[in-house]
Amino acid sequence: MWLLPVPPRGRPRSRPGRQAPVQPQSSPSPDLRHRPARLHRPGAPGVPGAIELPGAPGAPGVPGAPRAPESREHREYRRYRGSRVMICGRKARPAAEQLRAPSDGAGGSRRPGRALKKMGLRSHSPDPPQHSASVSPPRGAAHGTAGTQGSLIQAGAVGARQGLTEDEDVQRMLRGSLLWKVKAKGGSRERLFRLQEDGVTVCFEGRFGRSRSPQSFSVAHIEAVREGRQSEGLRKHGAAFPERHCFTLAFKGRRKNLDLAARGEEDARHWVQGLTKLMGRLQAMSQMEKLDHWIHGVLQRADRNKDNKMSFREVKSMLRMLNIDMDDVYASKLFKECDHSGNERLEGRELELFCRRLLRRPELEELFGRYSGEDRVLSAEELQDFLRDQGEDSSLSQARAIIRTYELNEKAKQQELMMLDGFMMYLLSAAGDILNQEHTKVHQDMSQPLSHYFISSSHNTYLTRNQIGGTSSTEAYVRALRAGCRCVELDCWEGSDGEPVVYHGHTLTSKILFRDVIESIRDSAFEKSPYPVILSLENHCGLEQQATMARHMKAILGDKLLTQPLQGQDPHDLPSPEQLKEKILVKGKKLPELWQEPRGVTSLLDPKEEEEEEEEEEEEEKVQERSPRRSLQSLQEIKPLQAKDASQVSPELSALVVYCQAVPFPGLAQALRHPQPCQMSSFSERKARKLIKEAGPALVRYNARQLSRVYPLGLKMNSANYNPQEMWNAGCQLVALNFQTPGYEMDLNTGRFLPNGRCGYVLKPLCLRSPPGEGSRRLALHIRVITAQQLPKLNRDKGSSIVDPFVRVEIHGIPADCAKQQTHHKLNNGFNPRWEETLRFQVRAPELALVRFVVEDYDSTSCNDFVGQFTLPLPSMRQGYRHIHLLSKDGASLSPATLFVHVRCKSL
């Protein structure tokens, strides 16, 4: 199971007078006497173990400690359920049953405040306790091990002084509050919400009158906390509660919002402020701190009888939770080596020792030894060598700055030395990430015409599920805009009471008011990006309700709505994203400029063009009628309200279309002879592929001057997506995807817009802006897949289920560059599998290429299961030894799951 170190690859790092370090797995701690004048490093401080927080009713703690006062809501709840307090479905122990916490503060003890202390949320002295002289630290302890408590205490000392466990808001959350949970379809239930002792998990009871298992969510999965009625659910169903009592938790990924209402304004304020503080601290945690916090959560779950000790059976259960299928003989041997007391239980420092053994990173120790030499201490000059090999700034001042930033030992820092602990902190930080950190902010020229950018675009933005019977929601617009989308679609139909509605016509999808959609867009448009948002209107309304749409947009959007060409800008040329900052543009049909009289409104399409569009709609309806989910009769009864004059445009709505005039595609020949930059056409994915195949270079020239939008075929009942890469290859800017449908297509879209600060605009390569132009030189790309760490467990219900992971690397670009290779799978190890396999690619157009790293669970009898992925543009990928932070299928973080790779690029 545990892999022995392999010989270092590449150039040997030995120097005159030094021997290459030998690192057997069981060797003692490295001797630092080779540099006695420079450093004598004490043992690594800290011990793991999740500890109960103070003030949590019913939580075991130190005997004799006063019980925290109960809130009024908690007293009512206790009276309702009985004389003993229930927290998360478990009765609390009476004070007489509470166990004494070990005096050394070791793992598993229940000393108040320890769990949030691991997050750096509890104030403590800046000098943490050192190892006792009676306990020899394990190999690696003298110079630290990634993810250990010692590293965390030192790394989080600044944040720790915030003292959030004494914070009034967090205290209220720990005691718990009765909150009303407002349902999306109406109605509400009062439930007890309480922050758990780990400082991350919030549990709430399902229903007072029934014995249901508690539900929970992690603070780490919350994207935003919104005060008041700022969600669709609260606006519809929260009128019974005062607005200041209401708040919404918006989650990352596809999880639905949680709409809540407190009994009083004070309670609501405590939860909003407390959650915001915890979210901020979690965001500031380093990868090592996240790992430490994660493993302590596993330890807490594995301690079944809550006696703060780990039997061998509980240790085996913990290993399965960690995705490790360790041989019983080796596990027993490791257990006995750590059981210094001989009582067949691990507690305190014994548990710390066991965790240190598990969390070792042999591959990082080998890398560190290769550059530091025999004495196992890295000088600033030696760190320079490493930075040079990484292809980074290798000046002496930069090396010293890295030591000052990441070294945990103060004595080493003063002498400009780096220990293994600091080296690991550096590689696990953003500085060691595979994504170029300069690209995490806007770094591209934003002053070029809109047609020179790829623009993140959504299709059927209003849908939360499929386009046949899915739910329409304003929350879908909020999620898309917060994900960086800059072009959203509104399918507008005639509504009752003179109010236009948005939904997918000819289907059973629900309807939402156009006015509500515009309000949601106003509130979320520029939260994540200041660059312009385009409203793509698909108009099926009559003249009267079109005028209503125009009035709503002007009244709600105000100055954000662009209604006139920019001053000093040629009205026939496209402006830049920089010029259009904080502006919302309307894409739609526009009346001819010479139109004057209101009675002169006419259809903007000639009969042939109308017939072509109707054919696509008819084909879509036929497929829907064949849908196995609905009978032919039920679908025929769906008759959306489309006015007879829907093919006409009201002057009020036409006046709002400035730079994005929707027109039928005139053909490439005519469009290239008479370019109209402010006109844009839309293509189905099928028509776009046909154009690319028949006249690809001409389409690239067209897209250099004018905007084009590509959308998925309406034939796909499950709202499936298409591969956007082939459209980007042709320079299409607005490649619209169903954001509600996860898959590799959305992974590519997220990767494409990952750089440039995720602002939703990415400058196209020069060869697509000024065709014909030369692209970059061909590259030889070598990716050595070294290890993975803490991969998620796929089947949590089956404890014995362990993943057999392998890594696949995919190149998405021009057809000649598309390729994929994969490693062999590793049996029963999702905790720290090691491959050491090199995958080689040749890339002819690197400026267009995306690299996708995929981890899957190998299955010889069925399809492999998805574990995690990460996608980024090749120009944004850094060379050298890098960590890759994996994402789930819906784009949420899988922290602390990572890949560790070595990347090398060479021009051919």
Side-chain angles (χ1 to χ4, degrees):
M1 175 61 197
W2 298 100
L3 298 170
L4 293 175
V6 298
R9 300 189 177 198
R11 178 166 57 91
R13 304 299 306 174
S14 59
R15 290 175 175 75
R18 288 191 179 180
Q19 297 178 352
V22 180
Q23 300 186 49
Q25 190 93 3
S26 58
S27 64
S29 302
D31 190 354
L32 300 182
R33 289 175 295 175
H34 295 280
R35 292 184 178 179
R38 293 207 286 178
L39 179 67
H40 289 287
R41 190 185 190 281
V47 270
I51 310 301
E52 297 276 352
L53 287 165
V62 181
R67 181 182 291 272
E70 289 184 293
S71 63
R72 180 192 67 222
E73 294 89 344
H74 208 284
R75 284 197 301 273
E76 291 181 30
Y77 180 58
R78 183 161 57 83
R79 284 197 297 269
Y80 188 93
R81 295 297 293 266
S83 61
R84 300 174 72 186
V85 177
M86 293 282 292
I87 298 296
C88 297
R90 183 174 78 243
K91 285 189 177 181
R93 288 191 183 95
E97 296 177 49
Q98 294 178 4
L99 300 170
R100 163 166 286 186
S103 59
D104 60 1
S109 63
R110 297 294 190 186
R111 192 178 307 154
R114 181 64 177 277
L116 278 183
K117 180 178 176 182
K118 293 180 207 320
M119 293 170 56
L121 297 182
R122 179 174 173 82
S123 51
H124 55 72
S125 64
D127 299 317
Q130 305 297 318
H131 276 295
S132 168
S134 61
V135 180
S136 299
R139 181 182 182 274
H143 51 272
T145 304
T148 61
Q149 171 67 5
S151 303
L152 179 60
I153 290 178
Q154 296 180 57
V158 175
R161 296 189 185 100
Q162 296 172 13
L164 285 187
T165 49
E166 284 75 32
D167 182 87
E168 182 183 1
D169 299 322
V170 176
Q171 282 289 327
R172 176 63 66 92
M173 295 170 64
L174 291 167
R175 290 196 296 269
S177 300
L178 287 171
L179 304 174
W180 290 94
K181 182 177 180 292
V182 182
K183 295 183 178 180
K185 296 183 179 180
S188 57
R189 297 275 190 228
E190 194 171 37
R191 299 175 181 179
L192 177 67
F193 284 74
R194 176 180 172 269
L195 177 67
Q196 300 300 287
E197 61 265 19
D198 64 359
V200 175
T201 307
V202 176
C203 280
F204 58 97
E205 290 289 346
R207 190 171 295 175
F208 286 148
R210 301 179 184 178
S211 57
R212 290 178 56 184
S213 59
Q215 295 177 284
S216 65
F217 60 86
S218 172
V219 176
H221 295 159
I222 300 176
E223 183 175 30
V225 181
R226 306 183 212 158
E227 295 185 74
R229 298 194 196 101
Q230 292 192 50
S231 71
E232 185 178 37
L234 284 174
R235 280 194 291 265
K236 283 185 177 180
H237 309 295
F241 305 100
E243 183 164 6
R244 292 189 177 184
H245 295 192
C246 300
F247 61 99
T248 298
L249 307 184
F251 292 95
K252 300 172 184 176
R254 303 185 70 193
R255 180 167 180 167
K256 293 181 180 178
N257 290 350
L258 190 57
D259 293 321
L260 300 171
R263 287 190 169 188
E265 182 180 340
E266 183 182 1
D267 249 2
R269 187 179 68 252
H270 282 310
W271 276 88
V272 169
Q273 294 177 352
L275 287 170
T276 302
K277 291 171 186 175
L278 292 173
M279 289 165 58
R281 177 57 192 136
L282 280 169
Q283 190 173 8
M285 286 173 70
S286 70
Q287 179 69 11
M288 290 175 68
E289 290 176 296
K290 291 175 183 176
L291 171 59
D292 183 82
H293 202 270
W294 171 76
I295 199 167
H296 284 88
V298 175
L299 286 170
Q300 189 177 22
R301 294 198 306 271
D303 185 12
R304 293 178 178 176
N305 58 2
K306 308 303 175 186
D307 64 351
N308 308 309
K309 300 177 183 180
M310 299 286 285
S311 65
F312 181 69
R313 182 180 177 184
E314 288 174 326
V315 165
K316 285 288 290 182
S317 173
M318 180 189 73
L319 292 174
R320 286 191 292 270
M321 290 180 187
L322 293 173
N323 238 339
I324 309 175
D325 185 21
M326 188 181 290
D327 176 75
D328 282 354
V329 175
Y330 182 81
S332 177
K333 178 177 179 292
L334 186 60
F335 184 90
K336 290 176 180 177
E337 287 176 358
C338 299
D339 184 16
H340 295 158
S341 61
N343 64 353
E344 297 185 351
R345 296 286 190 276
L346 297 183
E347 58 180 319
R349 294 175 187 257
E350 297 170 342
L351 193 55
E352 174 197 2
L353 176 57
F354 189 84
C355 289
R356 286 183 185 276
R357 297 283 185 91
L358 288 181
L359 292 171
R360 280 195 56 218
R361 294 282 302 274
E363 76 280 14
L364 294 187
E365 293 177 15
E366 294 162 19
L367 180 62
F368 182 77
R370 195 182 313 165
Y371 285 88
S372 66
E374 189 178 35
D375 53 13
R376 308 287 291 171
V377 179
L378 202 63
S379 67
E381 292 77 14
E382 290 165 336
L383 183 56
Q384 267 188 288
D385 293 339
F386 175 75
L387 295 175
R388 188 178 301 113
D389 291 349
Q390 290 278 90
E392 297 184 21
D393 178 5
S394 57
S395 64
L396 190 59
S397 60
Q398 175 67 7
R400 288 169 175 164
I402 290 173
I403 291 174
R404 288 194 300 271
T405 303
Y406 298 101
E407 178 51 46
L408 305 176
N409 184 281
E410 286 300 325
K411 292 182 180 178
K413 190 184 296 186
Q414 291 168 8
Q415 299 179 51
E416 296 183 348
L417 300 175
M418 179 172 268
M419 315 295 288
L420 178 58
D421 235 5
F423 186 68
M424 290 180 174
M425 283 286 289
Y426 169 63
L427 287 179
L428 284 165
S429 71
D433 197 277
I434 195 167
L435 175 66
N436 188 337
Q437 294 304 291
E438 290 297 316
H439 293 188
T440 60
K441 54 191 176 185
V442 176
H443 67 282
Q444 295 179 338
D445 179 9
M446 301 302 288
S447 62
Q448 300 195 30
L450 286 176
S451 58
H452 286 188
Y453 297 85
F454 295 127
I455 304 172
S456 180
S457 305
S458 166
H459 175 66
N460 288 350
T461 313
Y462 46 88
L463 290 179
T464 58
R465 291 187 289 125
N466 67 66
Q467 61 187 26
I468 300 301
T471 303
S472 303
S473 172
T474 59
E475 290 298 325
Y477 287 91
V478 176
R479 287 178 182 268
L481 291 167
R482 286 182 170 168
C485 180
R486 296 288 89 188
C487 177
V488 295
E489 184 180 26
L490 294 83
D491 287 359
C492 306
W493 296 82
E494 289 272 306
S496 58
D497 301 325
E499 286 292 337
V501 295
V502 174
Y503 84 113
H504 199 256
H506 305 291
T507 67
L508 299 174
T509 57
S510 59
K511 302 174 183 178
I512 49 179
L513 290 176
F514 176 84
R515 179 184 62 231
D516 292 344
V517 172
I518 298 301
E519 288 177 351
S520 296
I521 292 172
R522 174 200 63 195
D523 296 339
S524 305
F526 304 110
E527 279 190 22
K528 298 296 182 180
S529 170
Y531 294 104
V533 171
I534 300 172
L535 307 185
S536 179
L537 301 183
E538 187 175 317
N539 181 21
H540 303 275
C541 295
L543 294 176
E544 184 178 341
Q545 293 203 14
Q546 287 182 41
T548 302
M549 290 165 55
R551 286 197 301 272
H552 284 328
M553 285 191 282
K554 293 176 73 172
I556 295 170
L557 300 178
D559 293 340
K560 294 180 181 179
L561 182 67
L562 186 75
T563 58
Q564 297 290 335
L566 297 177
Q567 289 186 356
Q569 170 78 21
D570 188 334
H572 300 293
D573 289 338
L574 286 172
S576 69
E578 187 67 30
Q579 291 173 295
L580 293 170
K581 265 187 173 180
E582 306 281 343
K583 290 295 182 182
I584 295 176
L585 284 65
V586 174
K587 168 192 167 288
K589 298 172 186 176
K590 190 172 180 67
L591 294 170
E593 291 183 3
L594 297 178
W595 177 88
Q596 296 289 340
E597 299 296 329
R599 289 171 293 183
V601 178
T602 57
S603 172
L604 299 181
L605 301 179
D606 62 39
K608 182 179 179 181
E609 291 163 347
E610 287 185 319
E611 183 181 0
E612 182 180 349
E613 290 198 354
E614 287 171 2
E615 284 176 357
E616 287 193 1
E617 290 183 358
E618 286 174 1
E619 190 173 9
E620 179 180 343
E621 289 181 64
K622 288 177 184 177
V623 173
Q624 292 166 5
E625 289 171 357
R626 293 196 297 268
S627 171
R629 300 183 184 181
R630 304 285 178 184
S631 66
L632 178 64
Q633 182 180 0
S634 65
L635 278 174
Q636 285 175 338
E637 291 173 356
I638 303 172
K639 296 180 180 179
L641 294 174
Q642 177 168 339
K644 293 180 180 179
D645 54 357
S647 61
Q648 301 172 347
V649 179
S650 74
E652 296 90 346
L653 191 60
S654 172
L656 302 184
V657 178
V658 181
Y659 291 116
C660 299
Q661 180 183 351
V663 297
F665 185 57
L668 282 173
Q670 181 179 341
L672 291 174
R673 281 197 304 269
H674 306 287
Q676 299 288 333
C678 295
Q679 295 181 356
M680 61 181 294
S681 301
S682 296
F683 310 95
S684 69
E685 58 176 287
R686 180 174 55 197
K687 186 171 182 180
R689 287 195 189 99
K690 183 179 179 182
L691 280 172
I692 292 170
K693 183 178 180 181
E694 295 176 353
L699 183 59
V700 170
R701 293 198 301 275
Y702 169 82
N703 285 326
R705 293 290 307 275
Q706 293 184 224
L707 294 172
S708 63
R709 181 176 180 270
V710 183
Y711 57 90
L713 278 175
L715 311 178
K716 300 176 178 179
M717 292 175 292
N718 61 349
S719 294
N721 283 312
Y722 56 94
N723 187 342
Q725 183 64 48
E726 52 188 328
M727 313 306 172
W728 290 324
N729 292 342
C732 299
Q733 301 89 354
L734 299 151
V735 181
L737 298 178
N738 292 294
F739 272 47
Q740 76 275 16
T741 307
Y744 87 92
E745 302 92 347
M746 274 305 298
D747 294 343
L748 297 182
N749 191 76
T750 302
R752 172 63 65 199
F753 295 99
L754 185 65
N756 209 29
R758 302 187 185 190
C759 72
Y761 286 81
V762 171
L763 190 64
K764 296 196 290 188
L766 183 61
C767 60
L768 297 180
R769 305 195 309 265
S770 302
E774 293 186 5
S776 303
R777 296 181 60 182
R778 291 195 307 163
L779 286 181
L781 175 64
H782 295 176
I783 298 175
R784 177 155 62 97
V785 181
I786 305 172
T787 57
Q789 295 77 40
Q790 293 82 50
L791 299 177
K793 193 176 180 67
L794 298 182
N795 190 349
R796 294 185 178 274
D797 297 331
K798 189 176 179 181
S800 59
S801 173
I802 309 292
V803 300
D804 303 327
F806 68 90
V807 179
R808 182 174 65 250
V809 178
E810 304 170 354
I811 305 296
H812 297 265
I814 63 172
D817 287 343
C818 293
K820 54 186 176 183
Q821 296 182 39
Q822 67 187 48
T823 67
H824 295 87
H825 66 276
K826 292 294 178 181
L827 285 173
N828 295 328
N829 187 357
F831 187 72
N832 57 356
R834 187 166 183 172
W835 292 277
E836 293 286 359
E837 296 185 37
T838 300
L839 311 178
R840 295 176 172 84
F841 304 92
Q842 280 197 15
V843 186
R844 294 160 183 79
E847 66 275 13
L848 275 168
L850 293 170
V851 184
R852 183 170 182 249
F853 296 86
V854 190
V855 182
E856 291 187 352
D857 179 17
Y858 175 78
D859 195 320
S860 59
T861 59
S862 62
C863 293
N864 301 322
D865 293 322
F866 176 88
V867 176
Q869 69 85 32
F870 187 77
T871 307
L872 77 166
L874 181 55
S876 297
M877 192 165 70
R878 293 195 291 184
Q879 298 190 58
Y881 290 94
R882 302 295 174 187
H883 279 95
I884 300 169
H885 298 268
L886 296 175
L887 304 176
S888 66
K889 198 173 279 187
D890 60 6
S893 171
L894 288 176
S895 180
T898 55
L899 287 177
F900 186 54
V901 300
H902 182 266
V903 178
R904 183 161 57 91
C905 293
K906 183 180 179 182
S907 297
L908 297 177

